Amino acid sequence: MKVSCIIPAYNEEKNIAAAIANVRPFVNEIIVIDDGSSDQSFALAKAAGAITLQHLINRGQGAALRTGTEYALNNGADIIIHFDADNQFQASEIPDLLQPIINKEAEAVLGSRFLEKKSQLPWGKKYLIMPLARLVNRLFFGIKLSDPQSGFRVLSRQTAEKIKIENDGMAHCSEILYQLFKNHSKIVEVPITVTYYHYGQKFSGGLKIIGDLIIQKIIK
Amino acid sequence: MLQQILALAVIIFFISRLVQQKRKNQISKNELSLWLIFWIIAAAAIIFIHQIDQLVARLGFSGAAINILVYLVVVALIYQVFRLRLTIARLEKDLSQINQYLTLKK
């Protein structure tokens, strides 16, 4: 069973080599999509032994994941992992997320920061942004999950083939969840630990996600 | 009077920016002309606001009618901005597709 890990990277020269080294023991191949970085991310990922693809221009995390997922599917991946380049996820938790798919208990496994394992989320994220994101997911898409915006996910090949990521930016998280629910995919949430080195998505970013989802719906 | 002076100051600021952009060759001569005409008309409208007011009143327009006209123009502008946003979104989507195609083709 071929397990491919997709790591989108934009100006991640400080973290990319470590991320690749951490993930390597748990997967068959690592595909890094350098999303038009202006630093040494691409060269460092290549030197670290990952399959490296390069976007000519920066298009956003969603676009990078789309490119990586398509590449992985074209090259025979059976299981696809979406992972971040900034080392905020624990690579050692990959087997926990792989297990339900290997055991055929799930078609998509989503990492959750709100189950047994407790991540040290910034206050604003925990009590303002995430509850709001949960509410938006619930109201607009009928999605009920503990973590509305986790980027750590594992998809079976069949599930990944059905998902079409249209949003180039950060709205891809909600979009993937929506498509998983729409396709009636068997979803399992698995607790993960996230270490925050920087704040990440702010409230304004959340509003942009909502705007992007609406625009995407209109132009579709 | 103060409002007119402030509005004219804003227009002068934008005209000076235009001139700077032209000096740096960031805009073409035609673009400069277009925006200059636009701002000069806007400045003229501010300077001769009372005369325009009298003219509009003589033509039979009431204050309420002009207000409605302004509201309609604002709605039309919002609509145009929204359409532009959609056009940009479509272009961005196309751009991403080309980008992905080139990346996977390599």
Side-chain angles (χ1 to χ4, degrees):
Chain A
M1 199 169 258
K2 187 177 177 184
V3 180
S4 302
C5 183
I6 318 286
I7 307 181
Y10 178 62
N11 289 343
E12 289 287 358
E13 64 181 4
K14 286 183 185 157
N15 304 309
I16 193 67
I20 292 167
N22 292 340
V23 168
R24 188 182 305 286
F26 307 104
V27 301
N28 299 107
E29 69 176 7
I30 300 169
I31 302 162
V32 172
I33 300 91
D34 172 40
D35 191 24
S37 299
S38 54
D39 66 3
Q40 293 300 306
S41 298
F42 180 75
L44 290 169
K46 202 168 189 173
I51 295 168
T52 43
L53 305 174
Q54 192 173 34
H55 277 176
L56 292 175
I57 46 173
N58 176 247
R59 297 307 302 147
Q61 197 183 47
L65 282 174
R66 184 170 59 231
T67 302
T69 304
E70 187 155 332
Y71 179 89
L73 289 172
N74 290 343
N75 287 277
D78 296 304
I79 298 178
I80 290 170
I81 302 170
H82 289 170
F83 199 81
D84 279 2
D86 58 5
N87 279 318
Q88 66 167 358
F89 299 139
Q90 309 295 313
S92 57
E93 291 175 340
I94 287 176
D96 300 340
L97 274 80
L98 284 173
Q99 216 53 50
I101 291 192
I102 293 168
N103 295 344
K104 307 249 182 255
E105 293 160 4
E107 293 161 323
V109 182
L110 308 170
S112 172
R113 295 162 281 184
F114 301 98
L115 296 173
E116 297 93 79
K117 292 178 185 172
K118 297 294 172 209
S119 300
Q120 293 298 314
L121 264 81
W123 187 91
K125 259 185 195 294
K126 194 172 182 178
Y127 295 107
L128 192 68
I129 298 174
M130 290 302 162
L132 192 67
R134 253 183 238 119
L135 186 71
V136 169
N137 278 353
R138 187 92 189 263
L139 290 178
F140 289 95
F141 308 116
I143 296 167
K144 198 181 169 192
L145 287 170
S146 65
D147 195 333
Q149 283 288 309
S150 173
F152 190 1
R153 63 183 77 84
V154 179
L155 307 170
S156 70
R157 181 183 178 85
Q158 291 72 20
T159 309
E161 278 172 340
K162 284 184 211 158
I163 286 175
K164 301 277 169 256
I165 302 172
E166 303 276 357
N167 278 282
D168 292 341
M170 300 309 288
H172 69 272
C173 266
S174 300
E175 191 185 19
I176 290 173
L177 292 184
Y178 171 67
Q179 292 192 31
L180 288 173
F181 271 75
K182 201 176 115 190
N183 297 336
H184 304 291
S185 302
K186 231 192 287 177
I187 301 167
V188 167
E189 279 192 292
V190 167
I192 56 166
T193 318
V194 178
T195 311
Y196 282 88
Y197 299 107
H198 50 83
Y199 194 85
Q201 199 75 248
K202 293 181 187 140
F203 184 72
S204 56
L207 294 179
K208 190 180 179 312
I209 287 175
I210 297 171
D212 286 349
L213 287 168
I214 293 169
I215 293 284
Q216 194 59 49
K217 196 89 184 158
I218 295 170
I219 64 167
K220 210 172 175 182
Chain B
M1 187 65 181
L2 181 68
Q3 287 165 323
Q4 278 174 295
I5 292 169
L6 283 174
L8 286 172
V10 170
I11 289 175
I12 290 167
F13 168 74
F14 279 113
I15 290 177
S16 68
R17 269 195 56 173
L18 269 180
V19 173
Q20 274 178 4
Q21 283 176 317
K22 179 69 189 109
R23 276 190 189 147
K24 289 178 188 168
N25 267 333
Q26 291 171 336
I27 54 170
S28 68
K29 201 176 163 185
N30 288 342
E31 211 174 338
L32 174 72
S33 309
L34 176 81
W35 286 113
L36 265 182
I37 291 167
F38 173 82
W39 287 120
I40 287 167
I41 291 171
I46 289 164
I47 293 166
F48 300 110
I49 189 80
H50 295 300
Q51 287 85 341
I52 293 169
D53 215 19
Q54 285 163 5
L55 178 73
V56 170
R58 242 181 277 140
L59 290 171
F61 288 100
S62 65
I66 291 169
N67 281 348
I68 288 171
L69 194 68
V70 171
Y71 297 148
L72 287 175
V73 169
V74 170
V75 169
L77 281 174
I78 290 170
Y79 172 71
Q80 283 302 325
V81 169
F82 185 64
R83 280 197 59 171
L84 271 177
R85 177 78 180 83
L86 291 182
T87 307
I88 291 168
R90 282 193 195 98
L91 286 173
E92 292 218 354
K93 200 174 171 182
D94 292 344
L95 189 61
S96 290
Q97 277 176 356
I98 295 167
N99 196 29
Q100 184 178 331
Y101 173 77
L102 291 172
T103 303
L104 292 173
K105 205 183 152 199
K106 270 184 192 171

